[in-house]
Amino acid sequence: MRLVLLGPPGSGKGTQGARISARHGIPSISTGQLFDRQISAGTDLGRRAERYVRAGELVPDEIVLDMVADRLAEGVDCAAGFLFDGFPRTLAQAEALDRMLTASCGPLDAVVDLDVDVNEVLDRIRRRAHTEDRVDDAEDTARRRLSVFAQETAPLRQHYGEIGLLRTVDGTGSPDEVAVRIERTLAAVAHPELPLRG
Ligand code: AMP
């Protein structure tokens, strides 16, 4: 399946992306993780992206799109599919992804939107700041990332809703509970003729 995982910072995209990837045998392509690696390796791209990541701002579209095009050029199995985690994050990125997929694999099957209340995601980010060494989990940066999400990324919900791809999943509860909801949703995407269970 060709999927996009949408949702604010702290909504569990990383955790759930890894599970979907393992369960369906598809690569999870996280632009946040790709930037992290480029920054750690001190590449030219990493240096261009670092100040935006540290500030909780979006990296400019052209840098993101170059990186994604490079990743796709490394090869993806179109038939098996893939999952994008944290990409696209702007309408321009969504349109560029559409064009890239039209030219290669074919359209997305679904956009899974993890729905978590803003206070809950702030709590999660605060907890994560204690356990993971992320450069962007400080309180004010986390708030900035949430407001960037509301401004730049949330409009993608309407975009993907209008073209019938959006699947909103309740992202509250334990990772296991959320994973069950996601699997149910993906089963309905794969087999729209079957009734939804549970
Ligand atoms: P994430 O781990 O997905 O929350 O991403 C961490 C940071 O990487 C974000 O706050 C942005 O600075 C940058 N980033 C990741 N993906 C994108 C994207 N699709 N567009 C712009 N910036 C991105």
Side-chain angles (χ1 to χ4, degrees), residues 1-3 107-111 164-165 167 189:
M1 269 199 275
R2 298 187 284 272
L3 303 170
L108 291 169
D109 293 300
V111 173
L165 289 179
R167 300 287 182 276
V189 169

Side-chain angles (χ1 to χ4, degrees), residues 9 13 30-33 35 49 52-54 56-61 64 85-90 93 128 134 136 145:
K13 294 192 300 297
S30 154
T31 42
Q33 225 170 59
F35 279 129
Y52 300 101
V53 174
R54 282 193 178 275
E57 301 291 342
L58 292 187
V59 178
D61 287 338
V64 181
D85 158 3
F87 174 83
R89 258 167 150 110
T90 63
Q93 290 180 17
R128 186 167 73 183
R134 281 184 65 128
D136 55 0
R145 290 167 68 219

Side-chain angles (χ1 to χ4, degrees), residues 107-174:
L108 291 169
D109 293 300
V111 173
V112 176
D113 180 24
L114 289 178
D115 186 23
V116 183
D117 170 77
V118 66
N119 292 314
E120 168 75 21
V121 292
L122 266 175
D123 269 359
R124 289 186 188 180
I125 292 173
R126 281 189 200 113
R127 274 182 260 135
R128 186 167 73 183
H130 289 290
T131 53
E132 288 178 27
D133 190 22
R134 281 184 65 128
V135 296
D136 55 0
D137 270 349
E139 178 86 17
D140 49 345
T141 313
R143 284 185 186 278
R144 179 68 198 140
R145 290 167 68 219
L146 284 172
S147 105
V148 168
F149 177 84
Q151 271 167 16
E152 305 280 346
T153 310
L156 294 185
R157 290 176 173 147
Q158 189 181 344
H159 169 74
Y160 285 122
E162 280 168 4
I163 54 178
L165 289 179
L166 190 73
R167 300 287 182 276
T168 302
V169 171
D170 177 2
T172 56
S174 71

